[in-house]
């Protein structure tokens, strides 16, 4: 019977947990589809010869001696559609990437292209073939090898420690506890079932287990095939990673820089469980799994765990974590005011809290969001709590938004309480009249700002009338608690305000919003407006550019619609994309919107402040929040996400799902500007136990990376009731590349112990391909017309002449960048790698072809030269010739870019600065030219577009040059480490090759 292999953890299925198991499967053989160059597929039975020297297939028209490939002739085994045959248009959509693999063999580098029934079968064949290519026919755990492996010795020593009676057997219950201690997320029932199964198979029932059975149970339960596959891929020492292997894995796959052998030894000593492994510097499968699961290998970039952004910009240049009704633990309508809500919000880094003051029964003001709340909290108690917890999670300024609903006499008590309790923390200095922007979070560290109404300078009494804010009244009206009517004619409601409370307001003076033109002409930087969700939503849709422009100088606060009586949340991204700083969230309500808010504010040390994208801060810049494509001057990115597997997934909470098994699938969502919003899902992992294998690749284009958030959601397809299993939300800028575990959280954002997703992350420039592997190389080059970004006419002759000087440099900058990108993609594809691969991987791949053959052609990298040529001695096969040609093209285009970038960059900056010289005179020129209405609006938009394009294209050129220099450094580095480099001295530092370009001033 022909067998296929499954990585499922169901007890009656076969599980691959060692190279020996892979080779065992290959010796039995299985059916694979053989793909011909004419795009036709044929089913054939493939098998490994008993002497492990050849792979054969049948039936075949060839005689049996020709329908085989000798293992020693194999140059490389590639996973996925990595050859021209598998990439061809006719086949690309007929099977998923993870079900294909190719064997590159012979002196002419021919390819045998195969498609399996599942990714599991591919993994087993690829793992087995790579092992045989490296080590010949000596299978590591084959009978008769004599000595136990590193892992077996360690597990046996664990057993010996537990064998207190030294009888060679331990009780099953103790064995179960032991495995659970070594693998904390595993269910007791799963371990017990495995022991019963093994006892039955070996005909040794009873309440005790021997050492060999314990070792077998451990290896079957605790080996994750997808990690084992990865280990074998990088291992040059059979079934563990040596220091050099680990260093290669960290640099090449994980994108880590500056890794030393000392650092690798630290990792081994921290995570390798066996004493022998630690002493010899070996990381076996258990240590490697522990490392990949650890915080050291988290998907979240550790740099972002502390404050890592510039905190010296004006306050209006940051998003500020803001709470709406933090004191309510339940919904707005029936909620109970509870003081712990404030502690929770402040503990999560919230930097803006709303306090609605009402008259209290004891003559002192109280806080709650509506008079219907079952209980109220004395204002004094809330202020005491804020004083205690204001700066525990963040040292940056806290803004208290006061909404006054109490009498003037109780307002005085509130003001006295604030002064007395908060003391020096209270910021009371008057605004600087000569400044144009608010102070920075750095300058306001440790201070508490009061946002509220202020009496007009003309009022000299102890109290006066001010316009009221709409916030809070809608609910009061709904409950019949409103005690004053709105003025006739629908004007603003007036309220009495005491001087004492008015004097506490300095930098956040609440004023009513009229329109954008009035704000541009008359609003002062310390004045701020609050908008209801509905009003702000209208502006975001109808005039997003004006809202973005308004938010460059002024703070705006968005509060939820009063119709949300269930305390549900608005989508904060709808307002962040327009630059609105304070989007007030109901912290007590979990769900997607709160996940986005919590995930977003994690990126700057969870300090409650996140610097907005540069395109939203610069005084002159063009940004349309509703753009449907890439933005001028912002480099679009491609996110290549492979969802590999899940670990210890819980059942949906409160679910009545049948049985113990979940049938999960993963949704990956991108939230950001409309052009970026997308969602892809994996297939459902059927009957997979708690550790499903998904092995599915997803791809997203990100046009504004600085505003994008990635959310993983795990759902159950086999649910009755609640399908939600877990989620995790992370800002795009915090993603670490490589193989990573995603620490899953509950709906309320609490960590789920031991529940993770195992993923691979790669990010490339959009021009770097991504779509390239779906079409033939020739098809990609021939069809795509190069797009050039150009300036727009303003209608003002003098200004247009200045911008016209940039037309040629803009084309040159695009050509320089794109020529390098196209050359890189061609070289990577010929090396059998994806566009996400780095240069070091390319050079190492070429070197393995050369080193795996007795009759290898002599190809060397001449490292004595700044742009190292790849030189061949003697005749070389066709594929290798193509690789050398592609390498040469890449080196030449990189050289042209590096040597020409400075001059082109200078021209772009010159044009941008000449344009900016007109900026101060713009209004005078407009009047002189007689521009009004739509024409004036268009002229201003075109001017901002041109400035943004010039700065952005100069920026992209600067980054492209830095990347080209980094690629040269990687070539030197890889050439030395893999042995094909000659005349090499120490690798040149990228910075020594050429002085970097000056950063572009904002």
């Amino acid at each position: 019977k022909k067998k296929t292999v499954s990585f499922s953890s169901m007890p009656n299925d076969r599980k691959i947990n060692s190279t020996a198991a892979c080779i065992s499967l290959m010796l039995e053989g299985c059916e694979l589809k053989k793909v011909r160059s004419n795009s036709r597929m044929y089913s054939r039975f493939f098998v490994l010869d008993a002497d492990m020297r050849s792979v054969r297939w049948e039936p075949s028209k060839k005689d049996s001696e020709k329908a085989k490939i000798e293992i020693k002739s194999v140059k490389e085994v590639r996973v996925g559609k990595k050859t021209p045959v598998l990439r061809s248009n006719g086949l690309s959509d007929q099977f998923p990437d993870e079900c294909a693999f190719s064997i590159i063999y012979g002196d002419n580098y021919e390819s045998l292209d195969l498609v399996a029934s599942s990714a599991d079968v591919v993994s087993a064949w690829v793992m087995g073939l790579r092992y045989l290519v490296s080590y010949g026919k000596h299978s590591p755990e084959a009978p008769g090898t004599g000595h136990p492996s590193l892992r077996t010795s360690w597990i046996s020593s664990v057993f010996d420690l537990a064998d207190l009676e030294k009888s060679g057997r331990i009780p099953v219950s103790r064995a179960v506890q032991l495995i659970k201690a070594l693998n904390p997320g595993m269910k007791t029932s799963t371990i017990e079932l495995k022991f019963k199964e093994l006892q039955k198979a070996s005909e040794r029932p009873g309440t005790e287990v021997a050492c060999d059975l314990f070792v077998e149970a451990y290896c079957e339960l605790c080996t994750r095939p997808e990690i084992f596959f990865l280990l074998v891929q990088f291992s040059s020492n059979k079934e563990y990673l040596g220091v050099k292997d680990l260093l290669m894995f960290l640099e090449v796959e994980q994108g880590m820089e500056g890794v030393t052998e000392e650092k690798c030894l630290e990792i081994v000593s921290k995570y390798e469980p066996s004493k022998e492994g630690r002493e010899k510097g070996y990381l076996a499968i258990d240590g490697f799994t522990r490392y990949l699961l650890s915080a050291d290998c988290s998907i979240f970039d550790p740099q972002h765990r502390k404050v890592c952004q510039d905190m010296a910009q004006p306050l209006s240049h940051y998003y500020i974590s803001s709470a709406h009704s933090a004191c309510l633990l339940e919904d707005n309508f029936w909620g109970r005011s509870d003081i712990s809500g404030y502690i929770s919000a402040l503990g999560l880094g919230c930097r803006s809290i709303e306090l609605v003051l009402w008259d209290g029964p004891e003559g002192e003001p109280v806080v709650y969001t509506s008079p219907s709340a079952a209980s109220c909290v004395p204002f004094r108690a809330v202020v005491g709590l804020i004083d205690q917890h204001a700066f525990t999670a963040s040292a940056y300024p806290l803004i208290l938004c006061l909404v006054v609903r109490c009498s003037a006499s109780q307002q005085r008590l509130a003001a006295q309480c604030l002064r007395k309790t908060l003391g020096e923390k209270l910021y009371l200095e008057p605004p600087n009249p000569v400044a144009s922007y608010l102070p920075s979070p750095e300058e306001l560290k440790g201070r508490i700002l009061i946002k509220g109404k202020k009496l007009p300078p003309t009022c000299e009494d102890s109290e006066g009338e001010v316009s009221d804010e709409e916030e809070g009244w809608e609910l009061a009206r709904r409950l019949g608690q409103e005690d004053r009517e709105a003025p006739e004619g629908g004007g603003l409601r007036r309220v009495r305000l005491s001087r004492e409370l008015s004097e506490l307001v300095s930098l956040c003076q609440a004023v009513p919003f009229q329109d954008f033109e009035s704000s541009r002409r008359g609003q002062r930087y310390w004045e701020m407006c609050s908008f209801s969700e509905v009003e702000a939503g209208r502006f975001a849709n109808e005039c997003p550019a004006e809202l973005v422009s308004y938010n460059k100088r002024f703070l705006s606060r968005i509060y939820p619609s009063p119709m949300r009586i269930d305390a549900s949340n608005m989508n904060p991204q709808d307002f962040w994309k327009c630059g609105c700083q304070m989007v007030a969230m109901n912290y007590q309500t979990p769900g997607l919107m709160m996940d986005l808010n919590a995930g977003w504010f994690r990126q700057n040390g969870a300090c409650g402040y996140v610097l907005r994208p540069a395109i939203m801060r610069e005084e002159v810049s063009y940004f349309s929040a509703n753009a449907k494509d890439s933005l001028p001057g912002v480099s679009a990115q491609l996110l290549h996400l492979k969802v590999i597997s899940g670990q210890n997934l819980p059942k949906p909470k409160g679910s009545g799902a049948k049985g113990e098994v979940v049938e999960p699938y993963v949704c990956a969502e991108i939230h950001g500007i409309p052009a970026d919003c997308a969602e892809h899902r994996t297939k459902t992992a059927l009957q997979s136990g708690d550790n499903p294998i998904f092995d599915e690749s997803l791809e997203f284009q990100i046009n504004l990376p600085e505003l994008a958030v990635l959310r993983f959601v795990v759902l159950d397809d086999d649910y009755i009731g609640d399908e939600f299993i877990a989620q995790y939300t992370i800002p795009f800028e915090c993603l670490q590349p490589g193989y990573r575990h995603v620490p899953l959280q509950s709906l309320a954002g609490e960590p789920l112990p031991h529940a993770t997703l195992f993923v691979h992350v790669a990010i490339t420039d959009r021009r770097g391909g991504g779509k390239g592997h779906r079409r033939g190389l020739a098809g990609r080059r021939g069809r795509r017309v190069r797009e050039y970004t150009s300036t727009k006419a303003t209608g003002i002759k003098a200004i247009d002449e200045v911008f016209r000087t940039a037309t040629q440099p803009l084309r040159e900058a695009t050509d320089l960048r794109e020529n390098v990108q196209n050359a890189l993609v061609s070289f990577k594809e010929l090396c059998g790698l994806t566009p996400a691969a780095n240069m070091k991987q390319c050079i190492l791949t070429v070197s393995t072809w050369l080193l795996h053959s007795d009759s290898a052609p002599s190809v060397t990298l001449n490292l004595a030269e700044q742009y190292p040529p790849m030189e061949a001695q003697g005749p070389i096969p066709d594929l290798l010739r193509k690789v050398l040609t592609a390498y040469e093209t890449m080196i030449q285009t990189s050289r042209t870019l590096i040597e020409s970038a400075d001059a082109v960059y200078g021209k772009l900056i010159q044009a941008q600065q000449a344009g900016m010289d007109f900026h101060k005179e713009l209004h005078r020129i407009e009047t002189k030219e007689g521009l009004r209405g739509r024409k004036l609006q268009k002229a201003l938009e075109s001017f901002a577009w041109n400035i943004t394009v010039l700065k952005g294209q100069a920026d992209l050129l600067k980054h492209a040059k830095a990347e080209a220099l980094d690629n040269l450094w990687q070539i030197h580095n890889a050439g030395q480490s893999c042995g094909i480099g000659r005349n090499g001295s120490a690798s040149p530092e990228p910075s020594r090759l050429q002085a970097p370009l000056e950063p572009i001033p904002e």
Side-chain angles (χ1 to χ4, degrees):
K1 188 189 171 195
K2 296 170 190 171
K3 289 185 181 176
T4 54
V5 62
S6 166
F7 285 159
S8 155
S9 56
M10 294 301 285
N12 52 357
D13 278 352
R14 176 116 167 241
K15 183 172 176 178
I16 296 290
N17 59 15
S18 68
T19 315
C22 294
I23 291 167
S24 160
L25 166 103
M26 291 162 68
L27 289 165
E28 289 168 13
C30 73
E31 202 163 277
L32 300 170
K33 286 191 170 74
K34 185 169 177 273
V35 185
R36 289 262 181 89
S37 54
N38 61 6
S39 295
R40 289 192 173 175
M41 294 200 282
Y42 302 88
S43 281
R44 297 287 181 262
F45 187 74
F46 282 77
V47 66
L48 175 68
D49 271 356
D51 63 4
M52 300 191 207
R53 287 186 176 153
S54 308
V55 170
R56 297 178 183 274
W57 59 92
E58 56 186 35
S60 171
K61 289 177 184 169
K62 298 176 184 175
D63 65 60
S64 60
E65 279 312 298
K66 287 188 177 171
K68 71 171 188 179
I69 290 176
E70 290 192 354
I71 296 293
K72 68 178 182 185
S73 74
V74 174
K75 302 278 187 271
E76 186 192 359
V77 187
R78 296 180 185 174
V79 185
K81 301 170 196 169
K82 302 279 176 56
T83 62
V85 171
L86 291 175
R87 274 196 208 101
S88 69
N89 288 328
L91 288 172
S92 182
D93 301 325
Q94 289 186 29
F95 48 85
D97 194 64
E98 43 279 347
C99 285
F101 70 106
S102 303
I103 302 171
I104 312 294
Y105 67 97
D107 291 340
N108 291 323
Y109 293 78
E110 295 168 68
S111 73
L112 172 64
D113 299 299
L114 301 167
V115 177
S117 56
S118 72
D120 310 346
V121 178
V122 172
S123 296
W125 274 91
V126 172
M127 199 188 292
L129 282 167
R130 283 179 176 164
Y131 182 84
L132 290 171
V133 168
S134 299
Y135 314 115
K137 64 176 185 176
H138 302 293
S139 179
E141 288 177 9
T145 48
H147 61 90
S149 74
L150 204 66
R151 186 186 202 193
T152 310
S153 307
W154 166 66
I155 301 165
S156 303
S157 69
V158 170
F159 179 90
D160 292 341
L161 286 172
D163 179 12
L164 305 174
E165 296 79 21
K166 303 297 172 212
S167 63
R169 305 175 71 78
I170 61 171
V172 172
S173 58
R174 194 183 300 164
V176 169
Q177 289 311 112
L178 208 50
I179 288 182
K180 197 163 169 55
L182 294 170
N183 200 334
M186 195 170 284
K187 286 181 184 168
T188 306
S189 57
T190 308
I191 307 170
E192 287 171 345
L193 188 65
K194 177 55 68 182
F195 277 120
K196 279 180 189 164
E197 184 194 315
L198 292 176
Q199 283 180 320
K200 187 179 176 186
S202 62
E203 297 179 353
R204 288 188 285 175
T207 57
E208 293 188 320
V209 291
C211 184
D212 61 333
L213 203 117
F214 178 77
V215 170
E216 190 180 350
Y218 178 87
C219 288
E220 289 201 17
L221 286 166
C222 302
T223 307
R224 284 180 43 194
E226 71 277 24
I227 292 183
F228 188 78
F229 183 46
L230 191 59
L231 180 132
V232 170
Q233 217 174 317
F234 279 89
S235 166
S236 55
N237 295 298
K238 302 190 179 177
E239 297 205 353
Y240 53 81
L241 295 175
V243 168
K244 283 192 166 55
D245 301 330
L246 181 58
L247 191 138
M248 190 70 71
F249 171 74
L250 296 176
E251 279 194 345
V252 168
E253 207 54 73
Q254 304 297 85
M256 286 170 68
E257 291 174 0
V259 188
T260 59
E261 292 197 2
E262 289 72 35
K263 172 69 185 165
C264 293
L265 283 168
E266 274 177 39
I267 290 171
V268 172
S269 65
K270 188 172 177 182
Y271 295 105
E272 173 54 40
S274 73
K275 187 172 179 232
E276 186 191 351
R278 289 195 299 273
E279 285 169 357
K280 292 183 175 174
Y282 296 157
L283 196 62
I285 179 68
D286 300 289
F288 190 44
T289 305
R290 286 179 182 191
Y291 171 62
L292 287 174
L293 278 165
S294 73
D296 287 348
C297 211
S298 164
I299 190 169
F300 191 92
D301 187 339
Q303 286 185 334
H304 289 270
R305 294 194 191 282
K306 52 186 185 294
V307 175
C308 56
Q309 296 175 345
D310 176 8
M311 300 304 283
Q313 302 267 344
L315 210 57
S316 59
H317 285 186
Y318 298 84
Y319 296 111
I320 303 170
S321 180
S322 306
H324 180 227
S325 19
C327 68
L328 289 186
L329 287 186
E330 293 170 27
D331 63 49
N332 275 337
F333 204 54
W334 308 112
R336 297 192 313 275
S337 294
D338 184 308
I339 210 155
S340 64
Y342 290 111
I343 302 174
S344 165
L346 290 168
L348 292 168
C350 178
R351 295 288 84 197
S352 165
I353 282 182
E354 175 195 42
L355 299 175
V356 186
L357 274 64
W358 299 85
D359 279 332
E362 309 291 318
E364 280 198 35
V366 293
V367 168
Y368 42 35
T369 52
S370 81
S372 78
S375 62
C376 54
V377 184
F379 180 68
R380 187 185 301 279
V382 175
V383 176
L385 198 80
I386 288 169
D387 178 54
Q388 205 179 333
H389 296 276
F391 301 107
T392 49
S394 168
Y396 293 99
L398 175 68
I399 301 170
L400 298 184
C401 301
L402 296 188
V403 181
V404 179
R405 297 276 174 266
C406 62
S407 61
S409 60
Q410 293 209 8
Q411 288 174 34
R412 288 188 194 98
L413 290 174
Q416 288 164 16
C417 171
L418 285 164
R419 277 183 187 272
K420 185 180 172 187
T421 312
L422 303 178
E424 290 292 304
K425 292 176 189 162
L426 213 50
Y427 186 90
L428 301 172
E429 294 153 39
N432 179 357
V434 295
S436 305
Y437 285 93
L438 288 160
S440 69
E442 191 60 45
E443 291 171 80
L444 296 169
K445 248 182 172 177
R447 306 303 291 273
I448 295 175
L449 311 180
I450 304 293
K451 178 233 167 202
K453 292 286 177 181
K454 207 162 173 62
L455 289 173
T458 51
C459 174
E460 293 176 1
D461 299 335
S462 62
E463 59 185 69
E465 273 201 348
V466 291
S467 61
D468 190 15
E469 296 193 55
E470 271 303 297
E471 203 172 349
W473 279 118
E474 189 66 36
L475 202 55
R477 186 157 54 241
R478 180 194 298 275
L479 298 166
Q481 295 284 335
E482 191 175 15
D483 60 350
R484 60 202 101 170
E485 288 299 314
E488 287 180 31
L492 289 168
R493 192 186 272 103
R494 310 289 291 175
V495 292
R496 301 293 292 174
L497 179 68
S498 79
R499 176 165 296 284
E500 283 94 327
L501 207 54
S502 169
E503 285 172 350
L504 298 184
V505 177
S506 167
L507 293 178
C508 297
Q509 183 181 337
V511 295
F513 179 78
Q514 291 169 313
D515 57 66
F516 290 116
E517 188 53 36
S518 304
S519 295
R520 190 163 77 99
R521 294 187 187 284
Q523 189 171 335
R524 292 167 299 185
Y525 72 83
W526 61 84
E527 295 175 332
M528 64 175 287
C529 301
S530 290
F531 302 89
S532 79
E533 165 190 356
V534 176
E535 186 183 19
R538 193 175 76 248
F539 292 145
N541 289 324
E542 293 173 9
C543 42
E546 283 163 283
L547 189 51
V548 169
S549 184
Y550 172 87
N551 285 319
K552 286 177 185 176
R553 278 192 66 207
F554 310 117
L555 286 175
S556 60
R557 180 174 181 275
I558 317 298
Y559 58 88
S561 160
M563 302 308 287
R564 293 184 181 273
I565 59 169
D566 59 349
S568 60
N569 274 308
M570 51 193 163
N571 185 344
Q573 283 276 6
D574 290 345
F575 307 104
W576 290 339
K577 71 181 184 188
C578 294
C580 299
Q581 298 88 349
M582 299 159 74
V583 183
M585 304 293 284
N586 288 308
Y587 269 59
Q588 72 276 21
T589 310
L592 164 63
M593 305 314 172
M594 205 53 219
D595 291 346
L596 293 177
N597 193 73
W600 179 250
F601 283 105
R602 234 179 251 141
Q603 68 182 290
N604 190 25
C607 75
Y609 285 82
V610 168
L611 190 62
R612 296 184 316 174
I615 201 166
M616 289 187 183
R617 305 192 308 264
E618 285 149 3
E619 193 178 354
V620 181
S621 64
Y622 177 86
F623 172 68
S624 171
N626 295 329
K628 294 286 186 286
D629 198 6
S630 56
L631 301 161
V634 177
S635 178
Q637 307 274 294
L638 271 177
L639 169 63
H640 310 264
L641 184 66
K642 187 171 189 181
V643 182
I644 302 168
S645 60
Q647 291 73 45
N648 306 312
L649 300 180
K651 282 183 69 176
K653 209 170 181 181
S655 136
K658 308 178 283 292
E660 277 298 302
V661 180
V662 290
E663 295 193 341
Y665 62 96
V666 179
C667 269
E669 308 164 348
I670 293 287
H671 298 265
I673 60 170
D676 293 344
C677 291
E679 177 183 315
H680 295 312
R681 60 157 286 178
T682 66
K683 60 184 177 292
T684 301
L686 298 167
Q687 296 293 307
S688 59
D690 307 325
N691 304 307
I693 297 274
F694 300 104
D695 223 357
E696 208 156 329
S697 300
L698 314 171
E699 195 177 275
F700 299 90
Q701 179 171 313
I702 316 287
N703 294 292
L704 186 56
E706 288 174 278
L707 211 58
V709 174
L710 170 63
R711 182 173 185 254
F712 295 93
V713 195
V714 187
L715 300 162
D716 185 9
D717 230 356
D718 181 40
Y719 77 101
I720 300 168
D722 184 5
E723 63 174 335
F724 178 89
I725 294 174
Q727 64 83 27
Y728 182 73
T729 309
I730 179 171
F732 181 81
E733 298 278 279
C734 299
L735 285 171
Q736 288 218 92
Y739 288 93
R740 306 285 172 186
H741 280 92
V742 177
L744 294 172
Q745 298 178 341
S746 69
L747 192 62
E750 291 149 358
L752 292 168
H754 314 297
T756 52
L757 285 178
F758 187 45
V759 299
H760 182 266
V761 176
I763 296 162
T764 60
D765 185 279
R766 184 179 65 163
R767 302 284 182 226
K771 299 284 183 226
H773 63 282
R774 296 217 180 131
R775 305 196 289 268
L777 281 175
R780 194 190 68 251
R781 288 202 198 95
R783 287 181 208 155
R784 200 167 80 73
V785 178
R786 185 163 291 180
E787 301 159 11
Y788 292 100
T789 308
S790 57
T791 55
K792 292 180 178 179
T794 61
I796 301 167
K797 191 178 173 188
I799 294 178
D800 286 342
E801 279 177 7
V802 164
F803 287 133
R804 214 169 285 128
T805 63
T807 306
Q808 190 54 33
L810 280 171
R811 287 184 73 88
E812 286 174 25
T814 304
D815 285 339
L816 287 170
R817 287 195 346 265
E818 295 231 346
N819 289 347
V820 172
Q821 287 295 351
N822 289 343
L824 275 170
V825 174
S826 298
F827 180 54
K828 288 174 185 179
E829 285 185 344
L830 283 164
C831 291
L833 298 167
T834 66
N838 59 34
M839 188 50 58
K840 195 161 189 178
Q841 280 169 290
C842 297
I843 303 300
L844 294 173
T845 301
V846 174
S847 75
T848 53
W849 298 348
L850 302 169
L851 302 174
H852 269 173
S853 172
D854 300 334
S855 57
S858 175
V859 175
T860 53
L861 269 172
N862 185 354
L863 300 180
E865 297 192 29
Q866 185 179 336
Y867 301 95
M870 202 180 269
E871 298 159 346
Q873 278 78 40
I876 56 170
D878 189 41
L879 176 71
L880 207 50
R881 186 175 305 287
K882 285 179 182 171
V883 170
L884 294 188
T885 308
Y887 175 84
E888 181 60 26
T889 308
M890 181 204 66
I891 284 290
Q892 288 311 320
T893 53
S894 299
R895 181 176 189 158
T896 308
L897 167 69
I898 291 166
E899 292 175 354
S900 315
D902 288 15
V904 178
Y905 175 92
K907 290 176 192 170
L908 291 173
I909 290 304
Q910 196 177 347
Q912 187 231 8
Q913 287 169 347
M916 281 303 285
D917 290 344
F918 282 106
H919 180 241
K920 292 182 177 66
E921 299 291 304
L922 212 50
H923 285 293
R924 186 183 61 75
I925 298 169
E926 289 159 12
T927 313
K928 187 181 164 191
E929 297 274 335
L931 295 176
R932 285 190 196 84
R934 185 75 200 103
K935 277 191 175 176
L936 172 61
Q937 188 61 37
K938 195 166 184 311
L940 290 171
E941 261 184 29
S942 297
F943 182 82
W945 165 277
N946 294 344
I947 294 293
T948 307
V949 162
L950 291 171
K951 180 183 182 309
Q953 292 298 315
D955 254 337
L956 293 178
L957 188 60
K958 178 180 74 171
H959 292 309
K961 179 182 172 182
E963 277 180 19
L965 289 168
D966 184 58
N967 280 338
L968 288 182
W969 179 78
Q970 287 189 43
I971 290 168
H972 273 89
N973 200 314
Q976 282 183 320
S977 64
C978 70
I980 63 166
R982 63 184 176 84
N983 305 329
S985 56
S987 307
E989 288 301 315
S991 56
R992 287 219 302 271
L993 289 169
Q994 186 113 0
L997 295 165
E998 285 303 303
I1000 300 166
E1002 282 185 11

